[in-house]
Amino acid sequence: MLKLRPALLAVALAFSASTIHAASLPNGVVYSANEGDGSVSKIVLSTGNVQTTPISVVPHNVQISPDGKTVLAVGTAKNNGGGHGGHGEKAAGAHSDGADAHGDAGLLILDGDQLDTVLQTLPSGDHPAHIVTSSDGRYAYITNADKDRVSVVDIQAKKITAEIDTGSYPHGLRLSPSGLELYVANVTDNSVSVIDTKSLKEVARIPVGKAPVQVAFTPDGKQVYVSLRDENSVAVIDVDTRKVTNRIGVGRGPIQLYAAAGDTMYVANQGSDTDPDNTVSVIDTTNQKVIGTVVTGKGAHGVVASEDGKYVFITNTLDNSVSAIDTSTHDVVATYQVGPNPNGITYRSAP
């Protein structure tokens, strides 16, 4: 269990930010999906260098491939109006229903070193939101928010091979550590879909609470944490029983969440456009309690951790920045300016 000094044990404690040289961070790379201008930013942590590259879609999410060589980006094609629509709410500039009804709004596979090199452009299904890949990298699972389904893309065959029905407005999704199940947060259905990755069928739908946006497994795969945007809380699902066993209050408008440092869950609290939050709630998953709050930037949204769990990275969508948190101290140790309105985020370890 992560040991925190006494000052960190108070709920809603704000940790002071500090700055360290970028070379103190891991020798890895962070990528952010910038929805404000349709670009992807690449942060080289060893140097602090940030490169922002425009792409042909307005990306809401990015995912590093299992081999670390490519970045998968999903979003609506720019010539179709762009914009994801805001987790179940139509945002300013978002496309209307049917704007990407051709079904190939955009799955781009980018060279991880040279983001301006598009290796493949593949179909994604309608209104793509989030993407994860199978452990071998062959299949991509993409939520299609407006169509209430998950598209399964065979990357080798370059086509959609299955469409799986879910609850309404599926958004965030994650694979179980075993890869046998896919959990999907259905924003306007107030539920989480459980998909069997062998049969490619929804095998359960779990009521969780108001406006679930994203899910995160604990490393042992026994529990799933679900952000409940409209309840300012996180639901805890027992995987064996497929029932909610607890709810934990966090900051305002929680969006993404990610497990790191063994038994610690990090929850980004975005708030709203008119009243943004700027915090990350830290949950001890053993005791299922908030043990601290880290102040990052306005509109804290996306969360990812380094492979060793020593650092967590947050997109601040209203500050156009990415914060790096040292998980041993819970200090913000670096802040990087990226493209406008960063949302999704992914991490690549050094080769």
Side-chain angles (χ1 to χ4, degrees), residues 21 46 51 55 64 68 79 82 92 106 131 147 170 181 199 202 226 237 256 293 303 316 335 348:
H21 191 274
S46 62
Q51 175 187 355
I55 60 175
I64 194 71
N79 60 6
I131 180 171
K147 298 299 181 179
E181 292 184 332
S199 66
E202 182 189 49
V226 187
I237 297 173
Q256 289 196 28
T293 301
V303 190
N316 305 305
T335 300
R348 182 185 80 178

Side-chain angles (χ1 to χ4, degrees), residues 129-209:
H130 276 239
I131 180 171
V132 295
T133 65
S134 57
S135 60
D136 61 3
R138 175 163 182 176
Y139 296 101
Y141 303 93
I142 302 171
T143 47
N144 298 156
D146 280 352
K147 298 299 181 179
D148 302 341
R149 64 193 181 197
V150 169
S151 293
V152 183
V153 180
D154 185 324
I155 294 174
Q156 290 182 10
K158 302 181 180 181
K159 64 181 181 180
I160 294 174
T161 57
E163 301 275 14
I164 307 166
D165 291 335
T166 64
S168 59
Y169 210 92
H171 190 72
L173 76 168
R174 295 264 169 76
L175 278 165
S176 63
S178 68
L180 297 177
E181 292 184 332
L182 186 68
Y183 274 58
V184 184
N186 304 310
V187 181
T188 59
D189 197 56
N190 298 331
S191 70
V192 167
S193 292
V194 182
I195 293 171
D196 183 302
T197 57
K198 297 297 185 182
S199 66
L200 297 180
K201 301 289 185 182
E202 182 189 49
V203 294
R205 192 176 298 177
I206 306 167
V208 291

Side-chain angles (χ1 to χ4, degrees), residues 159-309:
K159 64 181 181 180
I160 294 174
T161 57
E163 301 275 14
I164 307 166
D165 291 335
T166 64
S168 59
Y169 210 92
H171 190 72
L173 76 168
R174 295 264 169 76
L175 278 165
S176 63
S178 68
L180 297 177
E181 292 184 332
L182 186 68
Y183 274 58
V184 184
N186 304 310
V187 181
T188 59
D189 197 56
N190 298 331
S191 70
V192 167
S193 292
V194 182
I195 293 171
D196 183 302
T197 57
K198 297 297 185 182
S199 66
L200 297 180
K201 301 289 185 182
E202 182 189 49
V203 294
R205 192 176 298 177
I206 306 167
V208 291
K210 294 181 180 178
V213 175
Q214 178 58 297
V215 299
F217 281 85
T218 53
D220 61 9
K222 294 181 178 180
Q223 296 174 331
V224 173
Y225 280 60
V226 187
S227 59
L228 302 177
R229 185 197 62 200
D230 293 354
E231 291 187 11
N232 302 333
S233 67
V234 169
V236 182
I237 297 173
D238 180 278
V239 170
D240 288 336
T241 64
R242 292 178 177 164
K243 292 183 179 180
V244 172
T245 58
N246 196 9
R247 285 182 174 82
I248 305 166
V250 291
R252 293 182 294 105
I255 301 296
Q256 289 196 28
L257 64 176
Y258 204 96
D263 55 1
T264 312
M265 187 74 64
Y266 292 80
V267 185
N269 305 308
Q270 181 171 310
S272 65
D273 287 345
T274 56
D275 187 18
D277 204 331
N278 63 347
T279 65
V280 173
S281 298
V282 184
I283 297 174
D284 180 337
T285 57
T286 299
N287 299 315
Q288 296 187 5
K289 292 182 179 180
V290 173
I291 56 174
T293 301
V294 183
V295 175
T296 57
K298 283 194 282 188
H301 181 101
V303 190
V304 74
S306 58
E307 285 190 357
D308 60 10

